[in-house]
Amino acid sequence: MTTALLTRPHPRPEPETAAGSAPGSTQPSSTLLGPYLGYIGYFVGAGLISGSVVHYPLDPARYALIGAAGVLTFLLATILNEFILPRQRPAGGQLLRIVGGSLLLSMGIGMLSGGIQHFNEFPTRSAVLVPAGLVGSFLAYIVRYAPHRTKAILGPIGIAVVTTAVLAFAALNYLAQHSAPAEHGHGEVATTVGEHVEQPAATDTHTGVEKPANATTPGVEAAPGARQPKRIPKVATHDGQPHGADGHHG
C-alpha cells in the first residue's frame, strides 16, 4: 500500500497535440510525495552525517548514533529514489555499486559540509575533513553516477580536484596553526555580566543561625557591585544594652 501511495500514476491535464500522439491521451507521472521524501532524505541524511563527523570528539556515543541515523536516512532515500520510484529498476548486479557509492557520497558531503561549517570551533580537525570530503565525494560520485568515466579520476578533472584539495589542506592547516579555536557553545548557558544571582541560604555551623549565602565574611571586602545583606538596626534600651528589632540582645 505504501509503495502504491508513493508511485501511483495519476493522469495529467490533457496535453497539447504533438506529432505522433493522439489528442486527449494521458501520460503517467509519479505522485509528489515520493519524490519529495526522496529529495529531503538526501539532504537530511547528509546534514546528520556532517554534524556527526565534526562533533564526534565531544560526545562519541551521542554523535555516533546521530551519524548512524544520517547514514540510514541517506540509504533509505537512495532505495526510494533508485528502486521504488523508477519504472525501470536497476539490475541486481548494480545494487552494490549504487548503495555503496551513495553511502560514500553521503560521507564525503558530510565531511565537506561539516568541516566548512565548524572550522572556527575545530580548526585542526576541519583542515583534514574538508579536503578529504572533497576528494571522497568526487570519487563516490563517479562510482555512483558515472562508472563508465573512471578514467576521469586520472584525467584533468581528477587532477584539478586533487590539486584543490591539497591547496585547501595547506591553507586551512596554516589557519588552524595560527588561530585559537573558538569556544563551542552548543547546549551551554551563558551568564550575563553583572547579573546578580541569588544563592541559597547557608547555616552558620557555630550558632545554628541561617544567613544569606551572599553575606560577606568579616575582614573580607565584598566584590564591587555585589548585593549587601540587609542589616537589622539595633536600638539602645533602658539598660544601655543594644537590642535588635526583635527585642533580643545584639
Side-chain angles (χ1 to χ4, degrees):
M1 180 178 180
T2 303
T3 304
L5 177 63
L6 297 176
T7 62
R8 182 181 66 251
H10 63 83
R12 291 180 179 177
E14 183 174 342
E16 298 180 0
T17 303
S21 61
S25 62
T26 59
Q27 297 178 356
S29 63
S30 61
T31 62
L32 182 63
L33 178 61
Y36 167 72
L37 293 178
Y39 190 78
I40 66 172
Y42 282 143
F43 289 93
V44 172
L48 292 175
I49 295 171
S50 67
S52 172
V53 296
V54 175
H55 297 92
Y56 181 82
L58 298 179
D59 190 342
R62 175 187 177 188
Y63 288 107
L65 182 61
I66 292 176
V71 170
L72 179 61
T73 301
F74 201 97
L75 178 60
L76 292 177
T78 299
I79 294 175
L80 178 61
N81 290 327
E82 302 295 337
F83 297 96
I84 297 179
L85 295 179
R87 297 186 179 280
Q88 294 182 351
R89 296 172 176 82
Q94 298 177 328
L95 176 62
L96 181 61
R97 178 183 61 81
I98 292 176
V99 174
S102 297
L103 291 179
L104 292 177
L105 184 60
S106 69
M107 294 295 295
I109 294 175
M111 294 167 66
L112 181 60
S113 174
I116 293 174
Q117 292 182 62
H118 296 282
F119 178 80
N120 287 338
E121 293 86 1
F122 309 98
T124 303
R125 185 178 181 84
S126 297
V128 177
L129 290 176
V130 171
L134 181 62
V135 175
S137 60
F138 173 69
L139 296 177
Y141 180 85
I142 292 180
V143 172
R144 170 62 186 84
Y145 292 105
H148 59 285
R149 300 193 60 185
T150 53
K151 293 182 179 180
I153 297 175
L154 301 178
I157 298 177
I159 295 175
V161 171
V162 173
T163 302
T164 303
V166 172
L167 294 177
F169 172 76
L172 294 176
N173 188 59
Y174 176 83
L175 293 176
Q177 298 299 327
H178 294 80
S179 62
E183 183 178 355
H184 197 272
H186 288 334
E188 297 179 0
V189 179
T191 57
T192 305
V193 177
E195 181 181 359
H196 177 77
V197 180
E198 292 290 344
Q199 301 292 339
T203 302
D204 193 323
T205 56
H206 297 287
T207 63
V209 178
E210 188 178 83
K211 62 179 181 179
N214 290 335
T216 57
T217 304
V220 179
E221 295 183 0
R227 181 180 297 180
Q228 299 294 334
K230 184 177 180 181
R231 299 181 180 276
I232 300 176
K234 295 182 179 181
V235 182
T237 58
H238 62 280
D239 57 359
Q241 297 294 330
H243 284 223
D246 57 356
H248 298 284
H249 289 285

